[in-house]
Structure formats: C-alpha cells, structure tokens
Amino acid sequence: MFTEVSRASFKQEADRLRLPYRDLNIEPPGYDDEAMSLYLIEQLVCYVIELEGQVIGGAVVTLTGQDYGRIDRIFIHPYRQGKGIGKQALQSIEKLHPTVRIWELETSTAQPNNVAFYRAAGYQSVFESDEEVCFVKRVQQRTDYMVLRYEERSITGAQAYGVDASRVSITNSNVSELQASNCNFTKSQFRNINFRETEFDDLNLSGSQYRFVTMYESGRPTTFFHTNLTNTIFENCRLDGVRIEDSSIDGLTIDGVNVKDLLEHHRKETGGMKRYE
C-alpha cells in the first residue's frame, strides 16, 4: 500500500502539471517502484499515514546524527488532500524526533501551494531557483547530551592528520574536492551524495553494497581499471551499453548462463576459435 499510495499521489501531480522536464521534487526517484519502497523502509525512517484503518499517505525521513532531519518525501493520496492531514503529519514527525533541531526539505517552484504550505508550517526558504525551493526549520530543543557541532561555518582548505573522526555525521554540506588518503571509512554510509567526477583509487571495498546508484549521466560513463570484481553480484541492475574488454571472466554468469561457455559457442558458430582461458 505504501508504494500504491505514493504512485497515486506523485503521478497525479505530474499528470496535472505536465512539465516539459522531469522535476525530481514532483516525481522523486522510484516513487512507483516496490524495490525502492523496500529500500527506503529498510534504510531510512518511513511512516505510514492511516485514517480510519486505511493507508492514505506516507513520509520518508533521513536522520543525520541526533540534531538534523530531512523530510525526503511526504505524500497524501489525492482523494485525501486539502484536509489538514499533511500538516498533522509534519507536526507528528517533529514530536517523534525531539532531539532534532534543524529540519530541511525541498519542493518544486511549480507547486506554489506546497511552497505556501511549508512556510505556514514554520519552514523558511534558504535557497530558491527556477525549479526548486529549499526550506529549513529550526526548532529550539533542549539537549541533555554533549556533542561537538560545526554549523554554517567554513573550513575550506583545512588539513587533518591523525584525527579520530569516527561516528562523525555530516549533512547538507559542501565537501567537494575532498582529498582523503590512508583513512579508515569502515562501516560508513554515503547516502544521497553527489560523487560526480570523483576518483576512487587503491581502495578496499570488500563487503560494500551499492543500492540505487547511478553510474552514467549526461554522457559521462564510469570506468573501472585494474579492478578486482571477483564474486561481485549485480541484481536487478541496468547494464545497457556495458563493455567488458581484456578481462578474466571465469565463473561469470548472466541469468545462470556461463558467459565463457556462451562465448566459446559463439566463436565456434561464427568460425572463430579463440579460447577464453
């Protein structure tokens, strides 16, 4: 039901506006995909909004540390909109996370009603473009714990050596052109991150997982050189246009078919006798 209501809500708005481009605030990635819903439920904080025993909406929240929260998406079934349910849902989310001091969210400029709604709910716009408005809401919360906070300050060009930065939480920050070497990132989480044109060299990624990751955009392919992908699993992935050249393919299968055997058969059928050792 979570996916079904999400699909009804976002698709109805997209159909109503009929924009000449895809607005990710109106059609967020995977809003109609069961696999994406399962990922959100497993990895983030998701809420189901019910009324009279029926699922009529939902919300997805990202929490970073104890102080920062992001409303990734919130939706109400079209038949139930305009009844104050969204406002109650936002208020309930805040109450459920009493340590969060800064909430953020985004909405499309093509949705003036949403812009007005969030402003009425206490959110202040901190950035506006032709396509989106970014909001922040600061909540005065009592904190009974000690934690170092670095908020809205610049440390551009800073250098660190021998620093214990374990369990550090970073959100809504510019970390472009970061240089990190000989560091331990074990069990770290990188979510909703822009890694365009980033280099990953001499890394140990054993045991890592990649979910809903884009490796091709605007003609910029991702390349792997001298990379060990032994026993890697690709499941429910888009591999259109993938090229594998001059690589070991022992045990490589596609839908249970051994690729080496398949290539050997192809070579024989076409007159070529190249063997893959």
Side-chain angles (χ1 to χ4, degrees), residues 15-263:
D15 290 345
R16 181 182 70 83
L17 294 171
R18 296 187 178 279
L19 298 177
Y21 56 91
R22 178 168 182 181
D23 189 322
L24 294 181
N25 287 306
I26 296 174
E27 294 182 276
Y31 75 90
D32 57 350
D33 185 3
E34 288 284 355
M36 173 61 84
S37 295
L38 288 174
Y39 160 76
L40 295 174
I41 292 169
E42 290 174 357
Q43 298 296 319
L44 302 180
V45 178
C46 293
Y47 293 104
V48 169
I49 301 171
E50 292 185 349
L51 180 66
E52 298 174 351
Q54 292 185 329
V55 177
I56 62 166
V60 181
V61 178
T62 296
L63 300 175
T64 305
Q66 301 181 78
D67 287 27
Y68 313 113
R70 173 184 173 85
I71 308 295
D72 289 299
R73 60 187 71 174
I74 183 168
F75 51 90
I76 306 295
H77 195 284
Y79 294 151
R80 299 290 189 172
Q81 293 176 7
K83 304 180 184 299
I85 297 172
K87 179 180 179 181
Q88 294 179 49
L90 278 179
Q91 293 174 341
S92 296
I93 290 171
E94 291 181 12
K95 291 179 181 178
L96 288 168
H97 302 282
T99 67
V100 173
R101 298 184 302 106
I102 299 178
W103 289 97
E104 62 181 50
L105 56 83
E106 300 163 1
T107 195
S108 172
T109 54
Q111 297 172 297
N113 290 340
N114 279 13
V115 173
F117 168 75
Y118 290 124
R119 283 181 173 148
Y123 285 79
Q124 296 181 331
S125 60
V126 293
F127 174 80
E128 297 188 31
S129 69
D130 293 338
E131 296 183 0
E132 69 177 359
V133 182
C134 301
F135 287 98
V136 164
K137 182 175 184 178
R138 301 176 187 277
V139 183
Q140 295 297 324
Q141 302 283 20
R142 177 182 175 183
T143 55
D144 296 324
Y145 54 92
M146 296 296 296
V147 62
L148 288 173
R149 298 186 184 90
Y150 299 93
E151 297 176 356
E152 297 174 332
R153 65 178 68 180
S154 174
I155 57 173
T156 299
Q159 301 182 53
Y161 176 84
V163 173
D164 182 0
S166 58
R167 296 185 299 280
V168 168
S169 300
I170 302 175
T171 185
N172 199 32
S173 298
N174 177 12
V175 197
S176 60
E177 300 183 55
L178 170 71
Q179 294 184 1
S181 61
N182 197 28
C183 293
N184 180 8
F185 282 100
T186 302
K187 296 184 179 179
S188 295
Q189 288 186 330
F190 297 98
R191 182 182 293 120
N192 194 19
I193 303 291
N194 180 357
F195 272 125
R196 291 186 182 94
E197 300 179 19
T198 300
E199 291 186 16
F200 299 95
D201 305 315
D202 192 17
L203 306 180
N204 183 349
L205 294 172
S206 57
S208 298
Q209 297 183 43
Y210 301 87
R211 299 186 182 99
F212 298 97
V213 175
T214 296
M215 291 192 176
Y216 179 83
E217 181 184 59
S218 304
R220 294 176 291 190
T222 299
T223 56
F224 296 88
F225 295 104
H226 301 286
T227 301
N228 186 347
L229 296 174
T230 302
N231 292 332
T232 299
I233 299 173
F234 296 91
E235 183 176 342
N236 195 23
C237 297
R238 286 200 60 174
L239 299 175
D240 305 347
V242 170
R243 294 185 305 177
I244 301 176
E245 299 177 357
D246 194 26
S247 300
S248 172
I249 57 172
D250 287 334
L252 175 63
T253 64
I254 298 178
D255 290 337
V257 178
N258 187 288
V259 174
K260 181 183 285 188
D261 293 343
L262 185 64
L263 289 173

